Amino acid sequence: MKRLKIVALTAVLGFFASTVINAQDVAEGEQIFKNNCAACHNTSDETLEGPGLKGISERRPLDWIVKWVHNPQAVLASGDKYANDLYKKFNQAQMTAYPSYSEDQIKSVIAYIDAQAAPVVAAPADGTAPAAAPAAGSENGGM
């Protein structure tokens, strides 16, 4: 029983530690994004000078994003179809390279972008917790 309590406590502490780290990542990403990216990009799918970045972590793998942020011209020169299609779509506007950003800093920007897309559930006016959505298929008896 004592071992179970220790395991449970460790799991809870681990959850809170990861939440704090994630919040720190998002805050760092917000600062980097607003100082360097926001002039050309939105965190939504709305375009500015460049594409909206909502869902970028689903469209491209992290290693591609890191290479692109570090040296977009090299990615274009490599013949990467996705990069060249974007380049053509946005009137051959050249993205500024950010070779000094670490992979962790780039991950923090992605965390910030992803956090902007996360749905916000508003609490009911009476202060109770929001009602849970029915499970998929439950309206038809699960069929």
Side-chain angles (χ1 to χ4, degrees):
M1 183 68 169
K2 187 174 183 178
R3 175 177 263 168
L4 180 60
K5 286 181 183 179
I6 291 171
V7 169
L9 180 60
T10 302
V12 168
L13 291 175
F15 170 76
F16 285 117
S18 68
T19 301
V20 169
I21 291 169
N22 187 37
Q24 290 171 345
D25 289 347
V26 170
E28 179 185 25
E30 178 180 17
Q31 181 180 11
I32 293 169
F33 184 89
K34 287 181 175 179
N35 291 335
N36 299 284
C37 312
C40 298
H41 298 283
N42 272 316
T43 59
S44 68
D45 50 12
E46 188 177 326
T47 61
L48 288 175
E49 295 296 317
L53 297 178
K54 179 181 179 180
I56 188 62
S57 60
E58 297 164 5
R59 292 193 305 268
R60 304 307 307 155
L62 178 63
D63 64 326
W64 187 94
I65 296 169
V66 170
K67 287 177 188 174
W68 177 256
V69 171
H70 284 163
N71 191 345
Q73 290 306 311
V75 177
L76 288 167
S78 76
D80 183 281
K81 180 175 175 17
Y82 185 86
N84 280 283
D85 287 349
L86 275 178
Y87 183 64
K88 291 172 190 166
K89 181 177 180 178
F90 289 92
N91 301 315
Q92 299 182 346
Q94 294 186 17
M95 184 174 132
T96 303
Y98 294 96
S100 63
Y101 283 130
S102 69
E103 184 172 317
D104 285 342
Q105 288 173 308
I106 295 168
K107 284 180 183 178
S108 73
V109 172
I110 294 168
Y112 170 67
I113 293 165
D114 290 346
Q116 300 314 295
V120 176
V121 179
D126 64 2
T128 61
S138 64
E139 63 276 359
N140 294 327
M143 301 189 120

